[in-house]
Amino acid sequence: LEGMDTLNAAKAQNKFFNLIMTDLRMPKMSGAEFLKASNSDPAFKEIPKIIVSVETDRSAVLDAVSMGADGYILKPVTNDV
């Protein structure tokens, strides 16, 4: 909910984001629900969306990608090359 509020406030000010990153699991709105809501608004549909997750089962993350994410990052994120 907070993420959608932030997107809508930016849209009202005619400001937009270049990238949206969201966690797969959130307390009030799941990452999948957030993807569905943000992709249903034409103002946000074209913004790349990345899911961040701690899931060890990648199928859950891939399900989110199939729901509208452009990619995913598994936690923990490190700078190891």
Side-chain angles (χ1 to χ4, degrees), residues 4-36:
M4 286 307 301
D5 290 344
T6 300
L7 288 176
N8 286 320
K11 181 173 78 170
Q13 296 175 18
N14 218 20
K15 297 178 182 177
F16 296 94
F17 292 91
N18 296 318
L19 174 70
I20 297 171
M21 293 181 76
T22 184
D23 204 292
L24 185 59
R25 296 182 186 260
M26 297 182 289
K28 295 181 182 177
M29 176 184 266
S30 74
E33 291 169 325
F34 178 78
L35 288 170
K36 183 177 178 182

Side-chain angles (χ1 to χ4, degrees), residues 2-74:
E2 209 171 290
M4 286 307 301
D5 290 344
T6 300
L7 288 176
N8 286 320
K11 181 173 78 170
Q13 296 175 18
N14 218 20
K15 297 178 182 177
F16 296 94
F17 292 91
N18 296 318
L19 174 70
I20 297 171
M21 293 181 76
T22 184
D23 204 292
L24 185 59
R25 296 182 186 260
M26 297 182 289
K28 295 181 182 177
M29 176 184 266
S30 74
E33 291 169 325
F34 178 78
L35 288 170
K36 183 177 178 182
S38 62
N39 282 331
S40 69
D41 187 320
F44 310 131
K45 187 171 181 78
E46 299 303 319
I47 301 172
K49 296 166 191 75
I50 305 296
I51 287 287
V52 181
S53 178
V54 296
E55 297 293 328
T56 54
D57 176 9
R58 291 186 187 206
S59 66
V61 178
L62 294 175
D63 286 344
V65 170
S66 73
M67 290 181 229
D70 296 293
Y72 64 92
I73 297 172
L74 296 177

